[in-house]
Amino acid sequence: MIVLKIGGDIVEKGMNRNLSDDIKETLKRDSMVIVHGGGDEVTRVAEKIGKKQVFITSPSGIRSRYTDYETVQIYTMVMAGKVNKAVVRWLLSENIPAFGVSGVDAAILRARRKKRLLIIDERGRRRIIEGGFTGKIIDVNPAPLNLLVQSGYVPVVAPIAVGEEHELLNVDSDRAAAYLAGGLRAESIIFLTDVQGVIVNGELLEEISLEEAESLLQKVGPGMDKKVLASIEALRAGVKEAIISSGFVENPVTSAMEHKVGTVVTLG
């Protein structure tokens, strides 16, 4: 089993024959579950309908969307609707039997709503704000995805979770993929993005251990920090390796699996 996370840049510019043919080749050897991002599209749609998006930074430097009630409705509409169905339509057009779901369906992803958030404000001060509708994943139900895989489908999962009071919750797509990989007992998780891998001081790191990954969290930029964190969480959940790589190289999935490109994170 492989969990393949395709970032928003891949959804927008990388859904092509190169990637689809490589997915088909990979499916001859391994089963696969796909998780997609799409935060930029959420922002575009929200602002088109007059809902300005607010982004906050945690004390550890991780930037995320502040999700109030209106925003989680838009987030659900775009992620489970527009983006998910765009990915499914593309895969179907390439004769890949995709089946679109969200983490809400059959409670595939359960999360605990964050009632308070500690942030760093524009003046660099720590401040506690209302948590909104962002969730921390607390449980994964892999059974529906396993049933789909056993029936010959490729599940395509939108990163939305159901809360303890059955509310819709925004969860980070990279971390959702990591938790799903753990729940599915996947051998590998691959994060396809728009860069070659983890780059520190201008140098691509080809392989790093779990401990090294933890030490890098403060050194990598916004976006990559979530992928490194998600890699750590996947390994702690039992996944053997996490690979952060480019979706814009030839045969991106195979190249990542064969460690020809990208950064491989292992237990060390």
Side-chain angles (χ1 to χ4, degrees):
M1 168 74 74
I2 296 169
V3 170
L4 178 66
K5 162 64 197 326
I6 57 173
D9 287 310
I10 308 302
V11 172
E12 291 182 20
K13 297 175 285 188
M15 294 197 306
N16 51 37
R17 184 64 58 82
N18 175 43
L19 178 55
S20 63
D21 283 351
D22 198 29
I23 289 174
K24 282 190 276 191
E25 282 301 310
T26 303
L27 287 169
K28 293 176 182 178
R29 306 182 300 272
D30 295 288
S31 56
M32 181 184 294
V33 171
I34 296 174
V35 181
H36 64 79
D40 288 346
E41 184 64 15
V42 173
T43 301
R44 280 191 289 270
V45 171
E47 298 198 343
K48 277 183 181 179
I49 60 177
K51 178 62 178 177
K52 181 174 174 56
Q53 297 295 276
V54 175
F55 292 87
I56 56 177
T57 303
S58 72
S60 61
I62 293 179
R63 186 172 180 265
S64 60
R65 183 187 311 273
Y66 180 72
T67 310
D68 60 12
Y69 181 75
E70 287 182 338
T71 297
V72 80
Q73 302 302 310
I74 297 167
Y75 180 89
T76 302
M77 174 181 71
V78 177
M79 281 292 198
K82 189 174 190 295
V83 177
N84 187 267
K85 299 318 163 195
V87 177
V88 170
R89 185 213 61 79
W90 164 63
L91 291 169
L92 291 174
S93 76
E94 299 292 342
N95 297 313
I96 297 170
F99 194 114
V101 297
S102 77
V104 175
D105 298 306
I108 291 170
L109 290 173
R110 286 191 178 275
R112 178 171 294 121
R113 183 177 170 186
K114 299 177 182 178
K115 300 297 177 65
R116 298 286 186 273
L117 295 173
L118 179 62
I119 68 166
I120 303 297
D121 67 17
E122 61 278 2
R123 297 183 183 181
R125 300 175 302 183
R126 292 186 173 219
R127 190 156 61 89
I128 295 175
I129 63 172
E130 181 68 27
F133 289 83
T134 300
K136 176 178 174 55
I137 298 171
I138 56 174
D139 191 34
V140 173
N141 173 20
L145 300 180
N146 283 325
L147 282 172
L148 288 170
V149 169
Q150 290 162 12
S151 299
Y153 295 102
V154 177
V156 180
V157 185
I160 309 161
V162 61
E164 294 171 300
E165 298 175 359
H166 302 100
E167 68 270 52
L168 298 172
L169 295 175
N170 169 8
V171 290
D172 176 70
S173 57
D174 291 321
R175 299 178 75 180
Y179 277 86
L180 283 171
L184 289 162
R185 298 182 180 178
E187 293 283 315
S188 303
I189 181 169
I190 302 172
F191 299 93
L192 289 187
T193 183
D194 61 342
V195 295
Q196 295 294 314
V198 179
I199 299 172
V200 178
N201 298 324
E203 179 184 354
L204 174 66
L205 305 181
E206 294 183 357
E207 185 170 341
I208 56 177
S209 68
L210 179 63
E211 289 184 359
E212 289 170 329
E214 290 173 331
S215 70
L216 287 173
L217 281 174
Q218 301 292 329
K219 300 177 184 177
V220 295
M224 184 55 71
D225 50 7
K226 291 183 180 179
K227 289 172 176 53
V228 172
L229 178 59
S231 297
I232 293 168
E233 291 174 332
L235 291 177
R236 285 177 175 165
V239 181
K240 291 185 178 179
E241 65 176 9
I243 306 164
I244 303 169
S245 189
S246 173
F248 297 102
V249 298
E250 186 175 358
N251 302 323
V253 180
T254 302
S255 296
M257 290 294 296
E258 294 178 352
H259 301 175
K260 292 179 179 178
V261 296
T263 300
V264 183
V265 187
T266 64
L267 288 171

